[in-house]
Amino acid sequence: MPKTHPFHSPRTHGFVRVAAATPVVHTADPAANAAEHIALIQQAGAQGVDLMVFPELSLSGYAIDDLLMQDALLDRVEACIKPLALAAHEAGVIAVVGAPIRQGDALYNCALVLAGGRAQGVIPKSFLPNYREYYEKRWFAPGREARGGLRIGDDWASWFGTNFVIEVAGRPGFVFGVEICEDYWAPLPPSTRLALAGARILLNLSASNVLIGKADDRSLLCASQSARAMAAYVFTASGWGESTTDLAWDGQATIHELGACIASGPRFSMEAHLTIADIDVERIGLDRLRTGTFADCARDEARRAGEDDHIGRLLIVEEDAPTGPHGDLLRPLDRFPFVPDDPARLDQDCYEAFNIQVQGLMRRMKATHGDKVVIGVSGGLDSTQALLVACRAFDRLGLPRTGILAYTLPGFATSEGTKANAWALMKALGVTGAEIDIRPTAQTMLEAIGHPFAKGEPVHDITFENVQAGLRTDYLFRLANQHDAFVLGTGDLSELALGWCTYGVGDHMSHYNVNGGVAKTLIRHLIRWVAMKEHTGGAADTLQAILDTEISPELVPAGADGRLQSTEATVGPYALNDFFLFYTTRFGLKPSKVAYLAHQAWKDAATGHWPTATPDDERVEYDLATIKHWLRKFLFRFFQTSQFKRSALPNGPKVVTGGSLSPRGDWRAPSDATARVWLDELEANVPD
């Protein structure tokens, strides 16, 4: 497979590679600083960076006080700008550098946007700190009123002021805005208006001396602004070499996207370095598109803005634009989007998911004045998780676990192993367990409808399977009637996405379903988490045995080779299906991009991180052909054949962001649609 195919370029899929640059500072020595800048610009170009940002006043140094008013120094700063712009153009990078710049009789603390061999835009700092250790109003004029063009040497900057964003031609979504240090500490940062005007990447050139705890404050501001503005936020602060007359500097550099930190650089380093990540501007646009609040706020802001406050657009023409990165994606990418690989985050997610399920069931029991539930226990993952939830809910409500009426309902294909696990689990948890063999009733039904199996023929078709699935549900609902209880559902989010349930019965139907908002991959880790937190001895051993059992509906008898019916052999690995589900429903990504991300995440089992306690046999990898094969099947099942089942779902709590397929929740779609648009896009853009 040729790596030159456009599919393998991050640019194809809406990524912009950004870098937060941390140069070594040479105090009041613009020429030496320019040399540091050029070296980092060349490094960035070699690594496919599109856009890079340097710290505040990076050409002069920040903490140089009244030296900022010296003509010789200001002349030298301006003389360095053209060589920097040419270096950036040669490297194929847009560079944003910090410098003190004169306009008329005023001096401004500025960010210069270097592209096409010149400074195309100059953004002065809006808010000048004049408290504690900062005295910027002593030297600089505030930039909020600055307007017009600006001559630097022999070149004119097209834009000078704070009211514009920069758009890069030929790169959809590559729109950025700039603010400087104190600006984002303000109650209404300029970047908020820039984001509402279309900037998807926000840059902050900062000096920002370091104090105990201040790094956390800066990260919090970056995270919150990227979340609230629905954007990426790239921050870089002055580091080693800056004057320490009264202050110290740590060179903090972070890159956030939609509230999440996707890259951070080393602090207190004595070496110049780059912090690089690929920003998904396409995803940012889709998130804004589906969040009506953002568009409403943007319209309100546009109506309020007067002529002087109108946000303009500086266009960097295509011949001056970066060509975009190639090769592997440079950003963290979870193999399991529903299961973070960070141990602390996974523990928190499991705690919240489990308690959301428990809380939902408790509220439904209170609302119905119920003290009993009926649940089918198969010895598989989903019924195990639902039973664990029921036990915790009963404990918290002060109800005896004997009110949990658990039934194992063996059919023609039930294995002794899963039935034994079901019984061991029911006994270990102290619920009321019972067994009803559905085979005699199933045989009667098959005979009544004239099915070949009733005559001894080995016909194991969909009718044969659904007779068993339907009877199990019939028994559970009638048992609920008999015991004044309600049926607790077990079907999970992944099965609902794939339509891997029998309409009206089986995992599809119940009085209340606690698993409907939980993906199969997360259920695996929830069971591990509950086993580790709450169970020892026999219960823990049984839970581990259930985790070790292959996922199977156990509706078709084992073949001559003794192999059980395998769910994943039919619908595909749940690890991939959950990946497809997350990016298809949460962000609405094109199939080709979903395939690209899946390939980046799963192509090499030896790279990247795995969620805590993932067994070795689950640490697998998938090539692009396998990913495309199963994605094709997922798209067909999700968009064309399964929606009618999702349009008739019982109540159950939403657990994860974008993870509800209830018709009353995140996903609403017609039952009569076709998957053709998505299948065509996949075939056209993903190589074989």
Side-chain angles (χ1 to χ4, degrees), residues 88 90 164 175 219 275 288 293 310 342 392 430 542 585 626 663 667:
E90 185 176 342
F164 67 95
V175 185
S219 291
T275 302
R288 290 178 174 182
T293 305
H310 174 70
D342 175 68
R392 170 65 74 82
T542 301
T585 59
T626 301
W667 181 258

Side-chain angles (χ1 to χ4, degrees), residues 274-298:
L274 299 173
T275 302
I276 300 176
D278 288 328
I279 297 295
D280 193 344
V281 294
E282 183 178 81
R283 170 183 154 182
I284 290 169
L286 288 168
D287 230 32
R288 290 178 174 182
L289 185 70
R290 67 182 60 230
T291 306
T293 305
F294 186 91
D296 291 343
C297 192

Side-chain angles (χ1 to χ4, degrees), residues 184-185 208-222 235 250 252-254 256 267-268:
Y184 90 139
W185 294 84
S208 194
N209 67 294
V210 64
L211 302 167
I212 294 173
K214 191 173 182 181
D216 290 339
D217 292 341
R218 291 185 298 217
S219 291
L220 178 61
L221 284 170
C222 294
F235 173 92
D250 66 340
Q252 184 175 10
T254 61
H256 286 76
R267 296 172 60 211
F268 300 105

Side-chain angles (χ1 to χ4, degrees), residues 646 649-650 652-654 656 658-669:
R646 296 190 290 268
L649 290 180
K654 177 180 175 180
V656 295
S660 172
L661 295 178
S662 163
R664 301 166 297 278
D666 295 326
W667 181 258
R668 305 176 193 199

Side-chain angles (χ1 to χ4, degrees), residues 354 357-358 375-392 401 404 406-407 417-426 428-429 431 488-492 495 507 514-515 520 523-531 534-535 539-549:
F354 188 57
Q357 292 180 280
V358 170
I375 180 173
V377 180
S378 67
L381 295 172
D382 295 341
S383 63
T384 295
Q385 177 61 16
L387 185 57
L388 293 171
V389 169
C391 288
R392 170 65 74 82
R401 290 188 181 185
I404 302 172
Y407 293 86
T418 54
K419 188 169 79 168
N421 284 340
W423 267 113
L425 185 64
M426 292 187 291
L429 296 178
V431 302
L488 187 61
T490 61
D492 66 49
E495 293 176 344
D507 290 339
V514 294
N515 285 345
K520 184 80 78 177
I523 282 180
R524 279 188 178 276
H525 285 271
L526 276 171
I527 293 172
R528 289 190 183 108
W529 183 84
V530 175
E534 300 187 8
H535 297 284
D541 292 341
T542 301
L543 291 172
Q544 186 57 54
I546 291 168
L547 287 167
D548 291 340
T549 302

